[in-house]
Amino acid sequence: MKGRDVMTRAALVWTTANAQRLAHLKDGAPNILGRAEGSDVLIDDPTVSRRQAVVSTDSGRYVLENVSQTNVATVNGVRVDRPVPLSDGDTLNIGNVQLTFHDLQAGDRLSGPLCSHCSRENMSTDKDCWYCGTSLVNAPTTILSTKKVAFRMISGSGEKHDVHSGETFVINAEGSAEVVRDEKLPAAVMLAVKPNAEKGAEVVDASGTLSINGSPPSADVLQTGDLVAAEAAQFLVIVR
């Protein structure tokens, strides 16, 4: 059983030769993008410069700078002529390659009120308890804390699912993916993955055909960059 090898806040995802690729972005150090061997984000495409761009952090934000003299990168269709701050979901075009920037910090949220009847946590926008229906008008005041995204699952079409503590990512028996509260897990699922404080993302239930990176799973722990397939559904994983 393996543990976490790396913690990832941000990553770049793109498709090459009909296969999804993912590159972890370091926090606090420059990340060189290009097709030269040794690049932090190695993009093996002839339309990409050997040293194309650099992603670094500035005051907690990721910033892209184009460094190629002949090949101009774009962010959301706009030429990068100076360092550009990146936001979760931004589209980068480098040569003929399109990449998507993922920043899990964008999915962090504040904790919500606790129900005075069943003590379960609710979303900050809820008016009634999701579990027992009790009004939250008189819910006890609690100190709000930040609930960080534990991991993100990304489908082949780019759909993303952020999972926090107390939640589970599931692919249900019909093949649809969703994030549910632990207490509302469907009775039958093809795949269930939940946060684990020590392991990161743990597969807690699986039925049918399951593979990780094209092979039968040898462990119940997912790592950043793993490609998980349950029947016809495929998802890339970013573990924070």
Side-chain angles (χ1 to χ4, degrees):
M1 188 175 294
K2 60 183 180 177
R4 280 181 289 180
D5 294 330
V6 64
M7 294 180 66
T8 305
R9 171 190 155 186
L12 290 170
V13 173
W14 69 101
T15 300
T16 299
N18 296 319
Q20 284 182 289
R21 309 291 183 187
L22 184 148
H24 158 80
L25 292 176
K26 297 175 291 187
D27 191 357
N31 300 269
I32 299 174
L33 284 64
R35 59 179 173 83
E37 291 294 332
S39 298
D40 299 293
V41 180
L42 178 60
I43 307 173
D44 187 15
D45 187 282
T47 65
V48 176
S49 298
R50 290 181 55 79
R51 191 170 186 271
Q52 175 73 64
V54 175
V55 175
S56 55
T57 49
D58 182 13
S59 301
R61 292 200 66 178
Y62 282 88
V63 177
L64 174 74
E65 180 180 5
N66 190 77
V67 295
S68 172
Q69 299 296 316
T70 58
N71 216 359
V72 180
T74 67
V75 175
N76 299 327
V78 180
R79 288 170 54 99
V80 177
D81 295 322
R82 63 188 69 184
V84 175
L86 296 175
S87 297
D88 185 40
D90 278 351
T91 298
L92 286 60
N93 282 90
I94 298 175
N96 292 335
V97 179
Q98 180 174 290
L99 306 93
T100 302
F101 173 72
H102 290 269
D103 185 354
L104 271 61
Q105 183 171 285
D108 294 347
R109 59 177 173 81
L110 290 176
S111 59
L114 301 179
C115 176
S116 58
H117 178 70
C118 68
S119 300
R120 285 176 169 79
E121 183 189 345
N122 291 263
M123 299 289 287
S124 58
T125 54
D126 289 342
K127 295 182 180 179
D128 298 315
C129 176
W130 66 270
Y131 183 79
C132 66
T134 300
S135 173
L136 298 173
V137 173
N138 296 317
T141 301
T142 58
I143 298 175
L144 298 181
S145 60
T146 300
K147 301 196 70 170
K148 293 185 177 182
V149 174
F151 61 90
R152 174 175 288 183
M153 308 291 284
I154 307 167
S155 72
S157 64
E159 179 183 13
K160 59 189 180 185
H161 300 269
D162 287 340
V163 185
H164 306 76
S165 62
E167 299 174 339
T168 302
F169 170 82
V170 300
I171 300 176
N172 61 33
E174 290 73 38
S176 298
E178 60 180 331
V179 177
V180 299
R181 289 180 167 97
D182 289 346
E183 294 94 334
K184 300 184 73 174
L185 277 172
V189 298
M190 287 196 295
L191 177 68
V193 186
K194 68 182 302 179
N196 182 300
E198 295 182 356
K199 300 177 182 179
E202 179 184 12
V203 178
V204 294
D205 193 7
S207 63
T209 302
L210 176 67
S211 69
I212 300 177
N213 302 321
S215 302
S218 59
D220 58 1
V221 181
L222 301 179
Q223 305 284 355
T224 292
D226 279 349
L227 180 63
V228 181
E231 302 298 339
Q234 292 191 346
F235 289 85
L236 271 175
V237 186
I238 304 177
V239 181
R240 190 171 179 183

